[in-house]
């Protein structure tokens, strides 16, 4: 495996490569990441639907089923290649702090990638989830409607702190994935933390771009205002804290070397 110091070197090189990526490619890669995360969300929804009986006896079981299948999205992002906002909150910090890329580039990257992720998720929601009727069966539909309602019913600060927890684990998954030197090792490193954040009920902004719009397409009474203000904004801010500060900056400080060394 790669040591944490070697992972920091990889992250610096990745940050430089992201800075050098032309804007059209960055947008396309962002669209793909939104789609891949939505794929994981769809598989997770199908896996956890219809488990009310299991959940009555042991509430963690539906969450474990959802968590076990959701990592598909991040696996595709990391191993096939795509630009994911939540991962980039940590990816870009080592190169930024070392001065290998302009100090404010991460803000531009985050904005472009976030909007592209949103567009990709919405395209997948409409064409692959809604137009195919994949969630039309009652068990699937009732599950996604219940999830959407729960996500906008939490207090704002609770969503924020759940967003911190979600991206703390997602970015640790990225870190562990880079630690592996084999396909199996990388997949296992990604799988565990992502499974954990879903099972714990934390809030991932890009995943919610799948869950809530899909639910609205299938008749949820959740409004766009509620989605954006009550869930997406606090989840996004929490994701930034969890990824940029608790993983990106923290480990750049612990394991990174100044540029002149």
């Amino acid at each position: 495996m790669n040591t944490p110091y070697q992972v920091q070197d990889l992250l610096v090189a990745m940050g430089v490569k992201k800075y050098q990526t032309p804007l059209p490619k960055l947008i396309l890669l962002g669209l793909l990441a939104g789609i891949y995360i939505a794929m994981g969300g769809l598989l997770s929804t199908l896996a956890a639907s219809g488990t009310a009986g299991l959940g009555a006896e042991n509430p963690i079981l539906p969450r474990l089923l959802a968590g076990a299948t959701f990592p598909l999205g991040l696996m595709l992002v990391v191993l096939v290649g795509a630009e994911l906002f939540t991962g980039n909150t940590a990816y870009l910090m080592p190169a930024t702090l070392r001065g290998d890329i302009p100090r404010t580039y991460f803000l531009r990257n985050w904005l472009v990638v976030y909007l592209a992720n949103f567009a990709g998720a919405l395209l997948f929601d409409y064409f692959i989830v809604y137009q195919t009727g994949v969630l039309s069966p009652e068990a699937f539909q009732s599950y996604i409607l219940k999830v959407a309602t729960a996500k906008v019913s939490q207090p704002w600060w609770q969503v924020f702190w759940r967003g911190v927890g979600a991206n703390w684990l997602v970015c640790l998954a990225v870190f562990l994935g880079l630690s592996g030197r084999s396909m199996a090792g990388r997949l296992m490193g990604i799988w565990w933390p992502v499974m954990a954040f879903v099972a714990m009920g934390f809030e991932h902004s890009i995943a919610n771009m799948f869950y809530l719009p899909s639910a609205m397409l299938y008749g949820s009474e959740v409004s766009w205002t509620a989605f954006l203000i009550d869930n997406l904004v606090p989840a996004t801010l929490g994701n930034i804290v969890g990824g940029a500060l608790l993983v990106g900056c923290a480990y750049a400080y612990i394991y990174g070397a100044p540029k002149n060394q």
Side-chain angles (χ1 to χ4, degrees):
M1 61 175 285
N2 294 314
T3 68
Y5 293 97
Q6 291 171 316
V7 171
Q8 284 301 307
D9 290 338
L10 291 172
L11 286 171
V12 169
M14 291 173 68
V16 172
K17 187 174 181 180
K18 288 177 184 293
Y19 171 65
Q20 296 171 341
T21 301
L23 182 60
K25 288 188 177 181
L26 190 68
I27 294 171
L28 179 57
L29 289 166
L31 287 169
L32 290 173
I35 291 169
Y36 295 158
I37 295 300
M39 288 179 178
L42 176 59
L43 180 61
S44 176
T45 297
L46 297 174
S49 297
T51 57
L54 292 174
E57 295 294 328
N58 192 338
I60 192 61
L61 290 180
R63 290 187 174 191
L64 284 175
L65 285 171
T69 48
F70 184 84
L72 166 69
L74 190 62
M75 289 174 177
L76 291 173
V77 167
V78 173
L79 298 179
V80 178
E83 290 285 333
L84 180 65
F85 163 75
T86 46
N88 283 4
T89 61
Y91 268 143
L92 293 168
M93 290 301 101
T96 299
L97 294 175
R98 266 182 39 121
D100 287 65
I101 61 177
R103 294 292 184 183
T104 59
Y105 168 72
F106 71 93
L107 294 173
R108 185 176 68 188
N109 178 282
W110 289 358
L111 177 62
V112 171
V113 171
Y114 186 86
L115 294 175
N117 289 169
F118 205 166
L122 291 177
L123 288 170
F124 186 86
D125 293 344
Y126 183 74
F127 289 106
I128 306 300
V129 179
Y130 181 64
Q131 290 294 336
T132 63
V134 68
L135 294 181
S136 293
E138 195 279 332
F140 301 153
Q141 192 169 149
S142 63
Y143 178 85
I144 194 75
L145 296 180
K146 181 179 178 181
V147 167
T149 300
K151 285 182 175 293
V152 298
S153 300
Q154 304 169 75
W156 200 94
W157 280 104
Q158 188 176 94
V159 178
F160 170 82
W161 287 113
R162 290 190 180 203
V164 173
N167 211 32
W168 195 351
L169 284 163
V170 166
C171 292
L172 287 174
V174 170
F175 197 106
L176 284 178
L178 290 173
S179 298
R181 292 186 177 179
S182 68
M183 177 67 76
R186 296 193 73 184
L187 290 174
M188 187 59 68
I190 292 168
W191 187 83
W192 273 104
V194 176
M195 180 278 292
F197 103 73
V198 176
M200 292 173 184
F202 292 156
E203 296 289 335
H204 187 273
S205 58
I206 311 304
N208 289 350
M209 294 172 185
F210 157 76
Y211 287 113
L212 283 95
S214 289
M216 287 187 274
L217 287 169
Y218 277 93
S220 172
E221 295 182 359
V222 171
S223 67
W224 278 96
T225 300
F227 166 39
L228 296 173
I229 303 301
D230 297 334
N231 181 271
L232 195 59
V233 169
T236 300
L237 295 175
N239 289 168
I240 290 172
V241 172
L245 296 183
L246 299 181
V247 179
C249 291
Y251 285 108
Y253 172 75
I254 295 168
Y255 296 118
K259 188 175 182 179
N260 60 359
Q261 291 187 7

